[in-house]
C-alpha cells in the first residue's frame, strides 16, 4: 500500500480524501494533519468515517515532523500555506498533489495580482503541473508535483476548452455564470454559511473579482467575466458558459466538439440533456453539454460536477493515480449518489 | 370592499392572492374558481389559509356563471385559457388583471411564434397594458385590463431597463442567466418538481427557447439569450444579467442609473450589495444592483424578487390598486420573511 | 402610535418583531437596541427590511440610556440578560414583554436547577405572567410584565393542556418528541448551524436535559421526557406528544377536547389532518390535532407552529396587544406563506 | 461474477442497487427489469449512472422471461408484487432477496390485517428469513430467500433489540417517533412528495396505523406506537425510541448494552453522541446511542441510517453476500458522503 499523508485532514476536502482512500485498493491514509483539530479522534471530527477510521487521530504538523515513511502527500489548505510546505516535500522527492491555489498560476506576478500578496516560492512554480487530467494527462504522469485545479475552473474549463480549441467561440467573449453548493466555502463559521443565510436563498458573490478567473483565463487562453453564486445545497458546481460564435454552425456542432474531445475520457459524460449537479453527487464524474443558438449567434455550454470530488478530492486521487502509475480510476466512482 | 373573483384559486398564485387579499384593507376575495379542486374547502386545498378562509370553498366556473357582483377579476391560469375568459370580463367592464402569457405580447404573430399556437383573441391584445408598474404606472391606472409580467421578465426588465435607457449597454448583447425556486413550475406533479429531483441539485432547463425571452426582448427592445435554472428552494428569482458596455464608464455608473430610475419607487431597493432572493421572500420588494467591469468591458446587473409576489400575486395586487385608485402599496409588504 | 423599544433587535426574533411592527396599525419600533451590531444600519443587519426601515440604525444600550419616550419594551435576549434589564423597565412602569427564559419559571430554585446559575432578580418573578394568551388571557391583560413562552413549550402546551385538563391522559406519562427549524438556535455561528451540518440531516440534541422541560412541566403540572430535534428548515416547530390514556375512550375524544378548548381562539386551528409546520410559516397560527389509539391505550397529540412567530415575536405582539387594550390580532396574520 | 437480475430497477432502490453493484467485486447487474420504464436506457432513467451503465437498458419482465443465466435476484417492488414473482424464482433455486413487505411477516393473517388483502403465497412464508444480518446472520447464510427489513424497522429494531433482550425496558411500553427523508416514499408523483410540499416543512403521517408497526412488534416481541414523519431531506431515517425502564439502572447501562451487542458488527457504530442521519448518507452504516433518564424512569434509544442503503439496497447486498458466501461487507462502505 502507498502510504499517504493528508494536510488539511480535518476539513471537508480532507474528509473526502479519507473517504476515497478508504475505498482505494492502493492508497492508505496514515498521517492526518490538521492543526485546528489536532489531538482529536477522527470519530469526533468526521463522525461519518467513525467505523472506517476507528482509533485514528488528527495530529499537528510541525516543521520537524518526519515524513520519512510517506509515499504521497495530499494538501488541502487555505491558499498561501502550501508555499511554505512544498519545499520540504519536493526536496524529499515525495509525490505531491496540492489543492491550494498557490501553484496553479505559472506566473508569480499573476498570483500577486489576484491574491494580493507576493508569492513565497516562485522558484517552485515550474515544478507543478496544472491538475486536470483531461487536459494534461501525460504531464501529470511524469510530474513531481501537481496543482489540482479548483472546482469552478474544472467545470468551466471542461465545458469550454474543446469549443475554444475547435475555433467555435471567440475566446475574448466569454461569460461564465456558475453556482456552487455551500461546501465550497469550507467548514469555517461565517454568516454566509449559516444555514439560515443560505437555505431558501440564491445569491451571487465575489462580483467581478473572483480569484478563480485567473486560472480559467490561463487555461483557456481567453478573457472572461465570471460570476459565482451560492445555492442552498451541500455540493455541486453548475457552470453555465456563454461565448460569441465565430460564425454560423450547425446547432449541435458544439456538442459534437465535446463528444470528440471526450470520447475516451472515463469521467466525462457528454449529454444532450441539461445536466444537473445531483447526477454527479459523490462521484468523480462530469456531465457536459453545449449548443449553438442561431438566433443570437452565441454558444452555450454547461458542465456539472461535485465540487468536493471532481472539483477537489477525486481529482487529486485521479492525478495521484497517474503519478503513481496506478489505474487512473482506482478508488473513484462514476456513479452519483442519487437521490 | 371591492369584491374580487380569482380564477385559478387552487394554485400557488391563487393561494398567494388569497393570502394578500386577507391582509388588504380594500379587497375581499369572494369567488374562488378552480376547476380541478371545485367543491373542496379552502381548508383542504390551502391548509395554510384555514383560519382566514374558514368555510370558504373552491367552485367551478362555467360559461354561464354570473359575475354580476364582482368588481375585480384576477386570473392565474395556464397560458391559453385567458383568451377565452377575457371577452366576458371585458364586455362587463370589470377591471381584469391577468397573469397568463396570453396578452403580454402586443403582436399575435409573436405569440404564435413562441407559444406554438394561434392567438384566439387578437382583437383584445390592444386592451391590455403590460403590468410592471415601475414602467407603465400611468397606463395601468387608466387600463381596462392588465397583463401582469411574469417572474423572470420582471426581474430581468427591472435590472436592465434603466441601463438600456441610459445608453450604458448595447441592447443586442444581452445574456440573462436566471435561477428560480420550484414554485415557479406550479403545483402540477412532474418528475422535475419531485422533491428528490430538486433537493441538493441545480440545473438549467429550457435551453435557448424559454418563452419568457419574447417578453423580455419586447420590453427592453433588445435581443437576449436567456437561460433559466431551477434551484432547491420554494421561492425566489435571481436574474444575473450581462451586457456589453457602450464604452468606458465609472465603475458605479450602472448603479447610479438604477438609483436615479428607482429613487421614488416604493418596492425597488437599489443596493451595492449582491442581493439574495431570501431578502424578498413573501414580500413585494425587488432588490437590484449593477456595476461596470472595466477589465472585460461588460456591465453586470442583478435583481432578486419573490416569484410568487412581485413576480405574480403581489404585482397583480399592485396593478389592481392602481386601476382602482387605491393606495399603490395597499395590502403589500416590503418586508421579507427572514430567515 | 405606541412607541416601542426592542432589545435584541439585531437577532432573528428582533428582525421578526420589526417585520411585524411594520405591519401593525398601532406599534412603531423607534429604538432598536443590539449591542453586537450597534451603529449599523438596519439595511445592513436586516437587508430584508431595507425599504421599511430606511435610515434606521441599531444602537447600543447603556445603563443610562433614556427610555422616557418609550411606551412598550420587547426583549429577545440570551437568558440571564433580562434579569438586569427588567428592574429599570418595571420601575418606569413601561409594559414589558420578555422572550427570555428569565421570568418564565415562578420558582427561583427551579430556575437555578435548570439554568445552572442563581436568579438575579427573584423578587420580580411574581410580576411576570406566563405569556400564552390561550391559557392566561385575562392575566396578561392586566399584567405589568409578560414572560412570553418559548417555541417548544408553546407547541407542546397547546397540544396537551386541554387533554390533561379533560382528564384524558395521565400527566405523569408524557413523552414529547419535537423538531425545530434552525432559526431556533439563533444567528450565532456554531458548527451545529453551519449549512453543511444541517442540510440533508436530522438529529436529536439536548438529550434528557433540555431546559424547556421545566417550563412545560410547570404549565402542564406534569412530568415529561422531552427530546428536541433539528431539521433542515429555517422555521417551524412540530411537537409530537404521547401520553397514556386514563382509560378507553372514543377515537376522536382527544380531538373533540381540542375543538372545545379552542373554539373561540383566533390563532388555533384544530384539524383532523396531521399538521405540517409549513402551513404556519410566517403566521401566528397554531395547527393542532389529536387522537386515541385503542390498540396501545395511548393518546397522540401534535402541534405545528412557526417558532419565530407564534413561538416568539408573534406571541409577544399578541401579548402586547392584550396588555395595551388593542385588538388581540392587530398586526398578526393567520395566513401561512406557502409554499 | 455472480449474475444479478433486479426487479424494480427503475426506482430509487433499483438505482441504488445498480450503484452498489457497480462497486461490488463479485456482483454484476445483467438484467434490469422495470415495467414502467421498459425500453429506456439507464442513461435516461438514471443519469447519475450513465457512465457505469453505458448502453444498458431497462426491460420488461413477462411471465415467460427466462432467468436461466441468473445467479441472484433482487426485488424492490410495491408490496403485493413479490407474491406472484417469488414462486418462479424459488422453484429455480435462485437465491432471492426481496425488499417488499410480502414475506416479512411470518403470519398470513397478520399480513392481511395490516395490508388489507389476503396473502397470495402463504405457503412460501416459511421459506424467507427476515433480513437483518445483525439479528439473523446464520439463518440468512443458509436461507433460500430473504425478506430484507424495511427502513423504519431496521433503525428501530437495531436501537431497541439489545435493550429488550437485556431486560432494560418494558416491551409493552414502547413509543417510536421516527423521521424519514423523502426518498422513502419512492419516485411516484404525489402531492406529498412535490418539492413545495416538503421543503421547509416537517409533518407526521400514517398516524397510529403505519404498516411497519407489525414488523417492528414481531421482531421485538413487543407492543409499540409508531409515528413516522417526513423531513425535507433526500435520505435518512432517524428513529427516536422510548420505553419504560424496568427499574433503576446506571445512566449508561443502555449504551453499554448496545456496545456489548454490537461489538463485532462491521456496520453498527455505537456512540455516546446523538447521531445525525447525515453521518450515514450513502453508506451501509448505522449509528446508535441510548441512555437512561432517572428523572422519568425512561430509556431513550436513537438510531440513524440511510433508508436507501442500510434501510434497503445496502442491506439487500449484505444479505446476498451472506447467502453467497462472499465477504459480508463486499461492495459496501461504512463511510458517509459528507457533507
Amino acid at each position: 500500500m502507498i502510504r499517504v499523508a493528508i494536510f488539511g485532514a480535518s476539513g471537508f476536502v480532507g474528509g473526502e480524501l479519507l473517504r476515497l482512500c478508504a475505498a482505494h485498493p492502493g492508497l492508505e491514509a496514515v498521517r492526518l494533519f490538521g492543526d485546528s483539530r489536532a489531538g482529536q479522534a477522527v470519530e469526533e471530527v468526521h463522525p461519518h468515517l467513525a467505523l472506517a477510521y476507528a482509533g485514528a487521530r488528527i495530529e499537528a504538523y510541525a516543521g520537524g515532523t518526519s515524513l520519512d515513511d510517506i509515499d504521497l502527500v495530499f494538501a488541502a489548505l487555505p491558499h498561501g500555506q502550501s508555499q511554505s510546505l512544498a519545499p520540504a516535500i519536493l526536496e524529499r522527492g515525495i509525490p505531491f498533489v496540492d489543492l491550494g491555489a498557490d501553484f496553479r498560476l505559472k506566473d508569480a506576478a499573476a498570483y500577486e495580482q489576484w491574491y494580493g500578496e507576493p508569492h513565497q516560492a516562485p522558484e517552485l512554480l515550474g515544478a507543478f503541473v496544472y491538475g486536470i487530467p483531461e487536459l494534461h494527462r501525460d504531464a501529470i504522469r511524469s510530474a513531481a508535483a501537481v496543482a489540482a485545479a479548483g472546482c469552478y475552473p474544472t467545470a468551466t474549463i471542461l465545458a469550454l476548452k474543446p469549443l475554444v480549441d475547435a475555433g467555435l467561440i471567440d475566446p475574448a467573449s466569454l461569460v461564465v455564470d456558475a453556482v456552487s453548493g455551500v461546501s465550497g466555502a469550507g467548514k469555517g463559521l461565517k454568516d454566509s454559511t449559516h444555514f439560515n443565510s443560505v437555505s431558501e436563498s440564491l445569491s451571487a458573490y465575489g462580483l467581478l473579482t473572483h480569484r478563480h478567473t485567473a486560472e480559467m483565463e490561463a487555461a483557456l487562453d481567453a478573457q472572461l467575466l465570471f460570476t459565482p453564486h451560492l445555492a442552498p445545497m451541500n455540493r455541486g458546481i453548475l457552470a453555465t458558459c456563454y461565448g460569441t460564435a465565430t460564425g454560423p454552425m450547425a446547432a449541435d456542432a458544439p456538442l459534437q466538439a465535446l463528444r470528440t474531445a471526450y470520447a475516451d475520457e472515463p469521467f466525462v459524460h457528454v449529454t444532450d440533456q441539461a445536466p444537473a449537479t445531483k447526477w454527479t453527487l459523490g462521484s468523480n464524474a462530469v456531465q457536459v453539454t453545449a449548443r449553438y443558438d442561431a438566433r443570437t449567434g452565441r454558444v452555450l455550454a454547461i458542465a456539472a460536477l461535485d465540487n468536493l470530488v471532481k472539483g477537489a478530492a477525486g481529482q487529486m486521487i485521479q492525478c495521484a493515480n497517474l503519478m503513481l502509475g496506478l489505474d487512473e480510476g482506482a478508488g473513484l466512482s462514476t456513479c452519483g449518489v442519487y437521490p
Side-chain angles (χ1 to χ4, degrees), chain A residues 187-262:
Chain A
K187 219 179 210 175
L189 300 180
K190 291 173 275 192
D191 281 335
S192 59
T193 57
H194 189 295
F195 181 85
N196 290 305
S197 301
V198 180
S199 178
E200 189 69 15
S201 198
L202 205 295
S203 58
Y205 66 97
L207 304 189
L208 310 186
T209 60
H210 194 282
R211 289 158 168 173
H212 282 178
T213 305
E215 208 177 308
M216 300 180 203
E217 293 191 337
L220 294 169
D221 197 11
Q223 190 190 53
L224 59 81
L225 177 52
F226 169 56
T227 309
H229 297 73
L230 191 66
M233 56 191 194
N234 287 295
R235 295 172 175 232
I237 296 277
L238 191 85
T240 303
C241 310
Y242 304 88
T244 302
T246 48
M249 63 187 78
D252 70 344
L255 189 65
Q256 292 308 329
L258 295 178
R259 288 200 197 281
T260 302
Y262 299 129

Side-chain angles (χ1 to χ4, degrees), chain A residues 78-154:
Chain A
H79 76 84
Q81 297 192 16
S82 291
Q83 292 167 42
S84 52
L85 184 64
I89 297 167
L90 294 187
E91 272 167 27
R92 284 176 174 81
I94 308 174
F96 180 31
V97 182
D98 181 32
L99 188 69
D102 302 34
F103 297 100
R104 290 181 189 154
L105 302 177
K106 294 294 95 180
D107 176 1
Y111 180 86
E112 184 166 353
Q113 175 196 339
W114 286 92
Y115 289 85
E117 57 195 30
H119 201 285
Q120 302 302 314
E123 72 284 1
L124 294 182
L125 283 169
F128 282 78
V129 172
Y130 189 60
I132 298 188
E134 290 75 9
L135 268 66
H136 304 299
R137 181 166 283 115
D138 289 339
I140 293 168
R141 277 204 180 96
S142 57
V146 167
C151 49
Y152 284 124
T154 300

Side-chain angles (χ1 to χ4, degrees), chain A residues 159-174 220-221 243-250 253-254 256-258 261 292 297-299:
Chain A
L160 288 174
K161 189 70 163 65
L163 310 181
V164 171
D165 286 354
L168 300 181
I169 51 177
D170 171 4
S173 73
L174 306 180
L220 294 169
D221 197 11
T244 302
T246 48
M249 63 187 78
Q256 292 308 329
L258 295 178
Y292 168 66
R298 283 203 177 76
V299 171

Side-chain angles (χ1 to χ4, degrees), chain A residues 31-103:
Chain A
R31 306 293 296 275
L32 284 54
F33 297 112
D35 289 1
S36 68
R37 308 294 294 266
Q40 297 185 24
V42 168
E43 177 181 353
E44 202 176 343
V45 177
H46 298 299
H48 62 294
L49 305 174
L51 287 165
Y53 287 90
R57 292 196 168 271
I58 306 292
E59 57 179 310
Y61 177 77
T65 304
S66 164
L67 296 175
D68 285 352
D69 57 346
I70 296 303
D71 307 314
L72 174 70
V73 170
F74 287 131
L77 298 167
H79 76 84
Q81 297 192 16
S82 291
Q83 292 167 42
S84 52
L85 184 64
I89 297 167
L90 294 187
E91 272 167 27
R92 284 176 174 81
I94 308 174
F96 180 31
V97 182
D98 181 32
L99 188 69
D102 302 34
F103 297 100

